[in-house]
Amino acid sequence: AVAEALGAAAAAGMSDSVRLLLQCGAPADGRSRNGATALMEAAAHGHVGCISRLLAGNADINVTAGAGCLSAFHAACLGGQRDAALELLHARADATARGGEHIAMTGLEMAKSRGSDDPTAVAVGKVLRRWSREEESAQLLHAAELGDLPTLEKMLWTGAWRTLEGGLHQLRNTHLSHKAICGAYLAAARQCHSHCLPLLLSSVGKSIEHRQS
């Protein structure tokens, strides 16, 4: 009964009731008759305030329910609840987890199923791309500090293709920012990894050309 009350309050967006129920001992991850937790109900209905209350009450952000193993993040993305999806994402919901009874999809894929221009899909995709770039930049910096030339080559150049004349043309990784490449160059220089500097200097130049094109 307590779990049902908490789920109902979360679904209705009654954040004060959610807080009081949690204070009175309601289990944050208690399940209603349909198997959903209060966090899933709040996410499905887009109630960010209730999501915050539940997470503060130690609700499990990645717990799943049903045959499709859907999480609160999945529920928000399926329901087109952009703000709820972003709140969960910034609280470190697992964006790589897949759910769905027939076709297993990530939350982003679920949002995109309503159209690539869906506001939830656009917002979630933007955050995930930014995080991916930040992680890649951190890896580049680490490789430069270690003087790890093979890793630098792998990260800075995505591959090569043979021209009609028989020569090789390298394809630059344009996902890395000019700032990240310059930072890696300075890191390698500070550590006196001279064997890495020609590659990084060339990449800095190519990055400038890309910015000006």
Side-chain angles (χ1 to χ4, degrees):
V2 178
E4 289 285 346
L6 184 62
M14 301 167 64
S15 60
D16 287 339
S17 296
V18 168
R19 175 177 56 82
L20 288 172
L21 285 165
L22 290 172
Q23 288 177 348
C24 291
D29 292 322
R31 296 177 183 270
S32 58
R33 280 190 290 270
N34 64 6
T37 65
L39 187 61
M40 295 172 190
E41 295 286 6
H45 293 87
H47 299 309
V48 175
C50 291
I51 291 173
S52 298
R53 296 280 194 195
L54 289 161
L55 292 177
N58 297 318
D60 186 341
I61 197 170
N62 291 317
V63 71
T64 61
C69 296
L70 298 178
S71 67
F73 181 61
H74 291 143
C77 290
L78 276 172
Q81 302 294 349
R82 184 192 66 178
D83 293 343
L86 292 177
E87 180 77 9
L88 291 162
L89 196 58
H90 286 294
R92 289 300 186 253
D94 185 358
T96 65
R98 293 181 175 274
E101 291 190 42
H102 304 295
I103 302 176
M105 294 188 290
T106 65
L108 178 58
E109 290 167 344
M110 291 176 183
K112 283 184 175 180
S113 68
R114 290 191 310 278
S116 58
D117 59 346
D118 176 80
T120 302
V122 172
V124 169
K126 183 177 180 181
V127 171
L128 293 178
R129 285 193 298 273
R130 187 181 78 242
W131 286 354
S132 178
R133 288 194 299 269
E134 289 173 354
E135 182 179 357
E136 195 171 16
S137 297
Q139 292 173 351
L140 182 72
L141 181 62
H142 184 62
E145 290 173 339
L146 295 177
D148 186 350
L149 184 58
T151 297
L152 289 174
E153 289 176 333
K154 183 178 179 180
M155 293 190 70
L156 289 165
W157 301 97
T158 59
W161 52 273
R162 191 170 296 279
T163 65
L164 292 175
E165 293 78 18
L168 286 177
H169 178 75
Q170 288 182 303
L171 304 178
R172 196 176 72 80
N173 182 357
T174 56
H175 293 151
L176 289 164
S177 69
H178 177 71
K179 181 179 179 180
I181 298 172
C182 289
Y185 174 81
L186 292 174
R190 282 195 298 269
Q191 298 297 327
C192 300
H193 295 312
S194 57
H195 61 291
C196 296
L197 297 182
L199 170 67
L200 287 165
L201 186 59
S202 171
S203 297
V204 169
K206 293 292 184 182
S207 177
I208 293 173
E209 290 177 8
H210 178 73
R211 295 175 73 190
Q212 293 175 342
S213 63

